[in-house]
Amino acid sequence: MLITSLLPLLSRYSLGFDLAAGADSSVTLTIMPRKSEGAKNAPSVVELQAISITATPAEIDAELALGEAGALGQLVIARKALGDQLAEQRQQAEAAKTKAKPAPTAAKASSAPAKPEPAKAAAPEPKPGEPASLW
C-alpha cells in the first residue's frame, strides 16, 4: 500500500524513506521528496518538505490501507496538485518572457528626456457681467 499511495509523487520526484522506532512502541515514517534524475525544473522548497507520520505500526498500516482516502493519500494528492500548478506557472512565466521582448524604438523613446510643452496663453479675462469661458 505504501508504494501505491506514493505513485503520484514518484512521477515527479525521487523519494527517500526513513523509518525510526520510538520509545513507546511507536514508529516514525518520514518520506523525503528529492529532485528526480533528468527533471527539467528544480522543485521548490515547499515541494521538497518531508512528510512524516508517527503512530504505532498497526495504525500506520491501517492508514496506508486506506489508500487515496487516507490522510497520506490526500496529502500526496495535494502535493501533486501543488507541483502541477507550480510547473504550469513556470511554463507561463517562460512564455511571457519570450513574448515580452522590448521593441528597440520604445527603448529609445523612453530613454530620451521628455520635451516640455509650450505654455498655453492664459484665458482672457471675462468682461464684467459675462461668465468665464472654459475654452
Side-chain angles (χ1 to χ4, degrees), residues 38-59:
K40 293 179 185 175
N41 294 316
S44 72
V45 175
V46 174
E47 293 176 90
L48 296 179
Q49 291 293 318
I51 300 168
S52 186
I53 301 170
T54 301
T56 65
E59 290 170 334

Side-chain angles (χ1 to χ4, degrees), residues 54-132:
T54 301
T56 65
E59 290 170 334
I60 291 176
D61 288 342
E63 178 62 34
L64 294 176
L66 294 174
E68 288 184 359
L72 179 62
Q74 292 297 308
L75 181 60
V76 168
I77 290 169
R79 286 270 182 107
K80 183 173 184 324
L82 173 66
D84 291 343
Q85 288 174 352
L86 289 171
E88 184 178 330
Q89 288 176 352
R90 285 182 190 123
Q91 289 174 348
Q92 290 174 355
E94 287 299 318
K97 283 180 186 176
T98 58
K99 283 185 181 180
K101 291 183 180 176
T105 56
K108 289 179 184 176
S110 64
S111 63
K115 293 181 182 178
E117 291 187 26
K120 294 183 179 180
E125 289 292 321
K127 293 180 184 175
E130 289 183 6

